[in-house]
Amino acid sequence: MRAAEPVAATLVKDGAAKDGARIEAGNDPGLADGGWRIAAAGRWTLESATAASDALDRAPKPPGGAAVRLDLARVEALDTVGAYLLNRSAERLGAEGHAVSVVGLRPEHSALFDAVRDAGKAPPHPIEREHHPVLDMVVRTGQTTVSAAKEILDLVGFLGLVTVTFARLILRPSRLRLTSVLFHIEQTGLNALPILGLLSFLIGVVLAFQGADQLKRFGAELYVVNLLGISVLREIGILMTAIIVAGRSGSAFTAQIGTMKVNQEVDAIGTMGLDPVELLVVPRALALMITLPLLAFYADVMGLFGGAVMAYATLDITFGQFIRQLHSAVGINTVIAGLIKAPVFALVIAMVGCYEGLKVSGSAESVGIMTTKAVVEGIFLVIVIDAVFSVLFSMLGV
Amino acid sequence: MTAAPVIRVRGLVTRFGPQTVHDGLDLDVERGEVLGVVGGSGTGKSVLLKEILGLIDPAAGRIELLGHDTADLDRAERTALQARTGVLFQNGALFSSMTVAENVMLPLKEHTGLSPALIAEVARVKIAMAGLPPDAGTKHPAQLSGGMIKRAGLARALALDPDILFLDEPTAGLDPIGAAAFDTLIQGLQRSLGLTVFMVTHDLDSLTSICDRIAVLVDKKIRVGTLAQHLADPHPWIHDYFHGPRGRAALDAKERNQARRHEEEDAKRLAKG
């Protein structure tokens, strides 16, 4: 039998909240064998939870092995957090070898207290495996490589699928959705004219200005027309067009088809005996293959126009001179070398856009991820293929 | 405890273009009751819910939440009031980029100054109280079934120990067993947490088993009453609703349940005696 300590009542009061949670702990005069009493008072709610948690931590600890009575008679308000804190401290004391009894629980609080006690018994979340930074990097590199390779393979497979569907449609042209094709021509072509025209014009202006600055030193101002003609017609016009279309229409394709996928519209198409590729992909691909060469030609014209305006403004080259010099500098081959890439770029952009759209799964979040991916992949592939074309042309001597 | 209603709606008018959805609607929701709100499609059940929550402004009328007129509140007061209401949206509306535990922790992080460790523990308790297994906390919403998403949504709605819980078709899309379990869960939580529940539902079993009163949206107004009062209501829509084949089936099920409970109690009493 331990020597009975003097009854030490400690009051820890929350300074901030006036009637916050309070704890009194001390020897229990009600228990004969020197039991310990912890009395909670005040409001045990979310607002005073930090103070309550501190109060419980700072309360004097019962002597080893003593029976503990947790007295809740003066708890004025109790919510889940308060009930959890009281339960937690009862459990901790129990784990330290004290026999804990809860007394004085008000009837209106007992249901909540019991519900929280039962919920608190659930084991905590399983602890996740520790991560090793270097190992993780290796794993991620491997995963990314494999998924990129798989993606390329799938994209080639998808290209094959679309080609077969195209071929089937050529044999049975009545199945082609003409309305859908025209709608997408309007969306991807006509509606892109203002932004594409403005950007191409500005690029022409910039190119002419930079070229003029350099060529003036040699007194070869007129050759700015050659510079403009070759660069705009062969590369800049088509590349600008493809990049803008990939950002504008490739992303739109992914978002449209992806949203349909989330709404199960694509599944519905499948169950009606219709082919999603025929219905969704082919009209978009066809529309883009028609509009992209036209847009590229338009971008060429606007780029040259911008250059001509700048040449007139800074070098006093008249439009007449500009046209004559352009005529002698570039032939029809240069124009064709640029425009021939357009249908290929169109196919790539449409393929990537539709493919990523069909790969959307589950949530709306997935639509966003796939749309970003479609734009990045589309632009990446356009530039890669442009480089391939350059090598090809130089080998062919075009 | 005040005797004033927790939600008081007066003279509510809602218009979408030329179409009037609510015309002079009055509604009182008392503290601690479970109110089921029913009505045909397009009668504005979800719109009413959104107006009470302040997501849509009504054309006219007053809405008081916990004694505060929602139109007069400044930003801080509105936020404080929102912390006292919890909402379970029809499809859970869990943030798909976060785990279930992070979803539940978000309101606690934003509205309380609790330590991160305590927040995590409280979130764990809420998830368990919503009847989810412990490993659900680390999962993303996309990995959960429909019933688990509802439970996770409920855990998030209860994160701040709200006074009022709004439920938008809580049992829609659940199988009958899952729906019954969800009803029991809501009833248990409502009792232990002392919640006031405003529940938009189409589920006749929920209405008969857990709702104290039922509000029926008809003729652009609302009629509130107990199940017995609605059963006696001659209004054609209300009559068809409660006396149709589904209504009858739900009522029969309720009677059977009650009868069984009485039998069990009798049996217990006999065994004791």
Side-chain angles (χ1 to χ4, degrees):
Chain A
M1 193 69 45
R2 279 166 287 105
E5 289 169 52
V7 177
T10 316
L11 189 71
V12 183
K13 194 164 180 176
D14 176 21
K18 220 173 74 197
D19 48 355
R22 294 187 302 277
I23 277 289
E24 289 168 24
N27 275 359
D28 191 343
L31 285 181
D33 58 344
W36 193 259
R37 174 174 169 274
I38 299 174
R43 300 181 60 82
W44 286 74
T45 55
L46 201 55
E47 292 77 33
S48 54
T50 307
S53 179
D54 288 350
L56 279 173
D57 289 344
R58 276 186 282 157
K61 296 277 172 285
V68 175
R69 274 205 312 166
L70 189 58
D71 188 351
L72 306 182
R74 283 190 291 141
V75 172
E76 287 154 25
L78 187 71
D79 70 2
T80 324
V81 179
Y84 171 71
L85 288 171
L86 291 168
N87 262 308
R88 187 179 69 176
S89 92
E91 261 169 42
R92 281 183 184 168
L93 289 169
E96 285 165 15
H98 301 281
V100 185
S101 55
V102 176
V103 294
L105 190 61
R106 291 190 188 178
E108 67 262 32
H109 295 157
S110 68
L112 172 65
F113 194 79
D114 293 346
V116 171
R117 188 188 55 216
D118 294 343
K121 275 180 191 151
H125 308 312
I127 295 154
E128 282 189 37
R129 180 180 64 84
E130 294 246 336
H131 290 285
H132 192 281
V134 178
L135 198 68
D136 273 6
M137 204 176 74
V138 174
V139 168
R140 277 190 59 170
T141 311
Q143 280 172 344
T144 313
T145 312
V146 170
S147 74
K150 211 174 153 295
E151 181 101 10
I152 291 170
L153 209 66
D154 284 353
L155 206 55
V156 172
F158 186 65
L159 180 66
L161 183 66
V162 174
T163 312
V164 169
T165 314
F166 251 118
R168 236 189 2 245
L169 283 176
I170 289 169
L171 294 177
R172 287 166 65 191
S174 61
R175 288 187 66 90
L176 183 70
R177 322 268 151 176
L178 206 61
T179 322
S180 179
V181 174
L182 290 176
F183 170 78
H184 287 294
I185 287 178
E186 186 193 340
Q187 290 284 309
T188 60
L190 203 62
N191 296 352
L193 288 180
I195 181 78
L196 182 63
L198 179 64
L199 291 182
S200 301
F201 179 84
L202 291 177
I203 292 281
V205 166
V206 170
L207 271 181
F209 181 73
Q210 296 295 338
D213 217 31
Q214 299 296 318
L215 291 170
K216 229 193 289 189
R217 299 183 194 177
F218 310 105
E221 289 97 330
L222 199 57
Y223 283 96
V224 82
V225 181
N226 298 45
L227 172 83
L228 265 172
I230 305 259
S231 58
V232 168
L233 293 179
R234 277 193 82 126
E235 293 292 344
I236 306 279
I238 174 67
L239 215 51
M240 278 294 294
T241 312
I243 288 171
I244 288 168
V245 167
R248 234 187 128 263
S249 305
S251 59
F253 289 174
T254 311
Q256 287 159 3
I257 297 179
T259 312
M260 293 180 76
K261 195 84 197 282
V262 171
N263 287 339
Q264 291 195 305
E265 290 172 53
V266 177
D267 294 345
I269 290 171
T271 56
M272 285 183 224
L274 301 168
D275 181 4
V277 174
E278 184 184 303
L279 212 63
L280 301 175
V281 181
V282 169
R284 287 178 170 82
L286 196 62
L288 211 56
M289 285 169 79
I290 293 168
T291 52
L292 200 67
L294 298 174
L295 285 176
F297 181 74
Y298 168 71
D300 286 352
V301 172
M302 291 305 284
L304 289 177
F305 178 55
V309 168
M310 199 62 189
Y312 178 71
T314 59
L315 301 172
D316 289 330
I317 299 171
T318 63
F319 287 115
Q321 278 176 298
F322 190 93
I323 297 283
R324 244 174 291 136
Q325 182 66 22
L326 189 66
H327 196 70
S328 68
V330 298
I332 190 71
N333 278 353
T334 314
V335 181
I336 290 172
L339 292 183
I340 203 155
K341 297 185 247 181
V344 180
F345 289 170
L347 189 64
V348 167
I349 293 166
M351 280 305 96
V352 172
C354 295
Y355 171 73
E356 298 297 351
L358 287 171
K359 259 184 47 182
V360 164
S361 64
S363 62
E365 192 196 7
S366 167
V367 178
I369 294 172
M370 288 305 170
T371 306
T372 312
K373 226 171 137 183
V375 174
V376 173
E377 277 177 9
I379 292 175
F380 170 78
L381 285 175
V382 160
I383 292 174
V384 167
I385 291 173
D386 191 55
V388 172
F389 266 114
S390 291
V391 173
L392 202 67
F393 285 157
S394 78
M395 278 162 65
L396 293 173
V398 179
Chain B
M1 297 270 160
T2 49
V6 173
I7 303 170
R8 186 209 293 268
V9 180
R10 286 291 174 272
L12 184 78
V13 180
T14 310
R15 285 194 200 95
F16 291 117
Q19 190 194 356
T20 305
V21 182
H22 305 132
D23 191 6
L25 183 151
D26 295 339
L27 174 68
D28 284 332
V29 184
E30 307 295 338
R31 183 173 290 275
E33 77 169 339
V34 180
L35 180 78
V37 179
V38 300
S41 300
T43 51
K45 303 183 294 290
S46 294
V47 174
L48 177 63
L49 177 69
K50 284 180 182 166
E51 282 170 340
I52 294 173
L53 291 171
L55 298 173
I56 301 178
D57 288 328
R62 285 159 55 84
I63 295 172
E64 282 176 27
L65 261 186
L66 298 161
H68 303 278
D69 190 330
T70 50
D72 302 340
L73 298 176
D74 63 25
R75 216 180 133 75
E77 288 169 331
R78 183 173 283 265
T79 309
L81 200 59
Q82 276 166 346
R84 295 176 65 187
T85 59
V87 190
L88 170 60
F89 289 97
Q90 196 172 346
N91 296 316
L94 294 171
F95 303 118
S96 51
S97 57
M98 298 181 181
T99 64
V100 170
E102 285 167 344
N103 263 289
V104 179
M105 277 150 65
L106 182 71
L108 289 164
K109 277 183 187 161
E110 291 299 316
H111 290 295
T112 69
L114 303 186
S115 68
L118 187 57
I119 286 178
E121 286 173 61
V122 170
R124 181 174 66 82
V125 171
K126 301 275 174 179
I127 289 168
M129 284 176 80
L132 285 169
D135 64 335
T138 56
K139 286 186 179 161
H140 282 270
Q143 295 168 282
L144 300 180
S145 68
M148 289 172 85
I149 285 177
K150 299 253 178 180
R151 283 169 189 268
L154 189 61
R156 187 180 69 180
L158 294 174
L160 293 171
D161 274 290
D163 295 337
I164 316 171
L165 178 64
F166 292 94
L167 305 169
D168 193 359
E169 305 216 9
T171 53
L174 300 184
D175 64 80
I177 299 170
F182 203 78
D183 280 346
T184 314
L185 173 71
I186 290 171
Q187 195 170 32
L189 289 172
Q190 188 265 332
R191 281 183 189 155
S192 56
L193 301 176
L195 295 167
T196 306
V197 179
F198 181 101
M199 176 162 72
V200 172
T201 187
H202 268 309
D203 191 333
L204 283 150
D205 291 311
S206 303
L207 286 178
T208 54
S209 59
I210 66 170
C211 291
D212 298 316
R213 289 197 304 158
I214 298 168
V216 186
L217 272 158
V218 281
D219 305 331
K220 296 168 187 175
K221 294 209 170 34
I222 212 158
R223 292 193 192 191
V224 188
T226 61
L227 184 61
Q229 286 167 344
H230 283 303
L231 284 172
D233 197 318
H235 188 283
W237 194 88
I238 297 177
H239 184 269
D240 287 355
Y241 190 87
F242 290 102
H243 294 275
R246 284 156 185 271
R248 279 255 62 95
L251 290 170
D252 290 348
K254 183 189 166 93
E255 277 164 21
R256 269 201 306 277
N257 278 342
Q258 275 175 346
R260 201 178 58 209
R261 216 171 299 140
H262 285 308
E263 275 170 27
E264 282 169 6
E265 278 166 17
D266 288 346
K268 264 186 213 159
R269 227 173 291 141
L270 279 176
K272 270 186 192 165

